[in-house]
Amino acid sequence: MKQRIALLGSTGSIGEQTLDVVSQHPELFEITTLTANRRWEQLVAQARRFSPDSVVIADKTYYAQVSEALADTDVKVYAGIDAVAQVAAASNVDTVVNALVGYAGLAPSVASLRAGKKLALANKESLVVAGDIVMGLVGTEGSALVPIDSEHSAIFQCLVGEPSPVRRVVVTASGGSFRDTPISELHNVTVEQALRHPNWNMGAKITIDSSTLVNKAFEVIEARWLFGLKPEQIDVLIHPQSIIHSMVEFADGAIKAQLGTPDMRVPIQYALSFPHRLPLETPPFDFLSHPELTFRAVDRQKYPALDLAYHCLYAGGTSGCIFNAANEIAVAAFISKQIGYTDIVRTIENAFSKVALIAKPTLEDYAATNDQVRRLSEEYVQNL
Ligand code: MG
């Protein structure tokens, strides 16, 4: 029996790389559903190549174009955000690859787990916003969650076969586009500079998030939920080479690391094939061309976002939701050149100072907080 996959966010970087993995193992995987936000032509091309049962275009304004372009096929076409969560829970799906960006990924994550699917999760915001609810649903109707985020896949791989509790995890960080830029120059940096990531080829939002270390801050929160860790058990180290994808230290002091050339297809494929490993067309790792693996502490002055993650771990409740919503607005405003680079963290700090925390939120509370923070942050960035 082939594993039937719904790929949410198929036209993004993770989406395209997932399709690459699937096409290397046509005897094991089949695509039943593809969803895209706005890139309808790319979605149509993917649908022609992978013949899914259905596609969803989240932005309804492109429904007519997609329908027309696939009129000569059997592919069912749906439109709208709600349809994304609906196809994730559909009976023709075993595994949901959630490669959506931002808060929009939460509802489909919840729907997949409630419907008993395996959730291969690249949308870290699901856990940043509502990790308590998402993790509480794992196991429902036999559902499971396997991380795709490279650091968490690394930790997950290190933990396979280890029943004992860990001492700590070390999440590695490349340092992003400005790791060698002095703090005094950060207020002048441009969008174009921020989009040049040294090691990983990723989408625009996550590349900006990597440069501010908001991405790493989110990954600290993600690790807390995925692996049930206390704040003091999660360390972050700058590792400029991005060869060690993360590490786990056990009670006896033994450390396991997962290493390799940065290639998101490895964690994507592992999430699909777990607990097995499948061949992937990657060259053998050449240690001699990477003779130095170096580490340094994160400069907390330069990267204030990391402290915000630990604030969220202690504060709990809706704090991660506030963090994420303010960041989404700030990054969009920075990409559209409305605000400066250092205004991103300023916008997040403003939201924390203005929005009341809800200690035991429901999904409705998360939605209300998300709306509230977005409105407040939109206003804030307009006045910067
Ligand atoms: Mg990552």
Side-chain angles (χ1 to χ4, degrees), residues 324-340:
N324 175 67
N327 182 61
E328 285 191 31
I329 297 299
V331 170
F334 174 66
I335 290 176
S336 63
K337 306 194 176 178
Q338 254 185 289
I339 63 171

Side-chain angles (χ1 to χ4, degrees), residues 124 149-152 206 215-216 219 222:
K124 66 192 77 186
D149 206 349
S150 62
E151 295 78 0
H152 306 77
I206 192 169
N215 181 56
K216 208 52 55 179
E219 290 179 353
E222 187 185 4

Side-chain angles (χ1 to χ4, degrees), residues 30-33 50-55 74-78 92:
E30 75 175 286
I31 295 287
T32 56
T33 316
F50 289 90
S51 305
D53 298 343
S54 60
V55 299
D74 298 336
V75 181
K76 291 189 211 67
V77 180
Y78 303 103
N92 63 341

